[in-house]
Amino acid sequence: MNTELPGASGDPDLQALVLVAEDESEIAQILMAYLSRAGLRVAHAPDGRRALEMHDMLKPDLVLLDVQMPQLDGWSVLSQIRQRGNTAVIMLTAMDQDLDKLMGLRIGADDYVVKPFNPAEVVARTQAVLRRTAGANAPAHKLLRVEGIEIDLDHYEAAVCIDNTPRQVLALTLTEFRLLAHMARAPKRVFSRAELLAACLPEGETLERTVDSHLSKLRKKVEAAGISGLLEAVRGVGYRLGSGA
């Protein structure tokens, strides 16, 4: 397997979230390293059942899905993903897969890659599928508005917009913006630390208390701009965007 990392990408698929559903940890880690280097966010599911749970929880832009996995195989996972929506899927298949199965892939999957593969090729195929499916899967609006905060997903900008006061752009780090945007997609929902970690801090940060630190800084910035009570800690569970006062 070629291990030379590709250069960072300037493509419009930057910051898309890719779920790597692969039970072989070495392969998964290599794929995640390449995808991260290309500017993509990554999350890992070690088996089919966990892949479906994470698909439902994280709403990834694309799933790299191994055919042969424990709990549920890739075919079962693909079938259930297709029942839930149009998430882009690239199948990872072994050389000895039957041709009729590969034909079946063309019906339900967006692409497939045969093992052993060059990780750089997987990244290229991932970027191509993301570009191809971006129009169909893009949200109708690129702006999120929650309790006086306007979040521009295209320009990675968040601003406080309160009646009769000047618009204030928040000086957020990329991680703080990711956390705010992720939670703003489902106001009032409680997000666990583990979920926020997987969705917004996938690049090697593994301690859940890291989420607390980032959210504490985010809360202070929002409150300094005039909105209090928006970000709430739910004891023993996680965080949610509550009603700002």
Side-chain angles (χ1 to χ4, degrees), residues 131 156 171:
R131 284 192 293 269
Y156 290 85

Side-chain angles (χ1 to χ4, degrees), residues 5-19 31-42 61-64 88-90 92 110-113 118-135 137:
L5 290 175
S9 169
D11 291 332
D13 49 20
L14 287 176
Q15 304 306 327
L17 175 61
V18 177
L19 175 60
L31 286 174
M32 291 170 71
Y34 272 74
L35 292 164
S36 295
R37 178 69 178 272
L40 296 160
R41 294 184 293 137
V42 291
D61 299 285
L62 182 143
V63 179
L64 283 175
V89 177
I90 297 178
L92 305 176
D110 296 271
D111 200 353
Y112 69 91
V113 179
N118 183 331
E121 179 188 355
V122 178
V123 171
R125 286 175 177 264
T126 297
Q127 292 170 326
V129 170
L130 285 169
R131 284 192 293 269
R132 190 166 68 241
T133 59
N137 296 332

